Structure formats: structure tokens, C-alpha cells
Amino acid sequence: MPDRIWEALYELAAAAPLLDDPRLVHRPMRKIVESMLDQGFQRPATGLFVRCPVCDSEIGQICINVPRHTLDDPVHPERLALSRTILMEAG
Ligand SMILES: [Zn+2]
């Protein structure tokens, strides 16, 4: 079941940029992710479910370009590394 919830969250994250106010999606997404973590589920190590240390993108929000930081993927490499570190520390 957690896999289906994360999958649904990915779909919401992908849909959010199409809205006039993506915060309508990101705020409840953050609450769902926090609730999942409180219940002991681990977040996937994709970077999407942690706040970005480079551009401050919220949980569920794709990264934005900032000077001197490469952004070839939906999330900054630093954000991906952070989520992997969190997963390793949890595991
Ligand atoms: Zn970022």
C-alpha cells in the first residue's frame, strides 16, 4: 500500500505545475509525506520528498534553476544526495 501512496504523490507532483496555484497541491502533499514518515514508512530516495537544500523547493515541488547549480533533472543533485543520505541513516 505505501508504494501506491508514493505513486499517487508522484502523480500529484507532476500535475501541480499545471495549476494556477501549485501550493494547493504542495501543502497537502507535505502533510501526507509527514504523516507517512510518522507512521514509520520510508520515503523513496528520489529527492522529490525532501526540501531542496539548494533552491528551497518544497516537498513534491520540482527544483528551479539557481545560479552556479546544475539542474539537468527534476531535482538538484544535492537534493537527491540528501534523500539518499536520509534513507541510508534510516535503514
Ligand atoms: Zn533544488
Side-chain angles (χ1 to χ4, degrees):
M1 184 174 91
D3 287 347
R4 298 211 52 199
I5 295 173
W6 293 120
E7 187 182 317
L9 290 172
Y10 280 117
E11 291 174 12
L12 283 172
L18 306 175
L19 301 174
D20 286 339
D21 187 357
R23 288 172 301 180
L24 294 174
V25 171
H26 295 132
R27 223 175 284 136
M29 271 189 75
R30 190 183 68 228
K31 289 181 186 172
I32 293 169
V33 169
E34 287 170 355
S35 166
M36 296 281 287
L37 298 174
D38 286 347
Q39 292 177 55
F41 295 110
Q42 291 184 350
R43 66 190 115 201
T46 60
L48 192 64
F49 300 115
V50 296
R51 191 183 178 101
C52 183
V54 174
C55 68
D56 275 340
S57 285
E58 290 282 351
I59 284 173
Q61 193 176 19
I62 61 170
C63 285
I64 56 173
N65 275 306
V66 293
R68 296 181 305 280
H69 286 279
T70 312
L71 183 58
D72 297 327
D73 296 308
V75 299
H76 281 108
E78 294 89 342
R79 187 180 185 186
L80 185 60
L82 174 62
S83 77
R84 287 184 176 155
T85 301
I86 290 171
L87 191 64
M88 277 175 22
E89 286 174 352

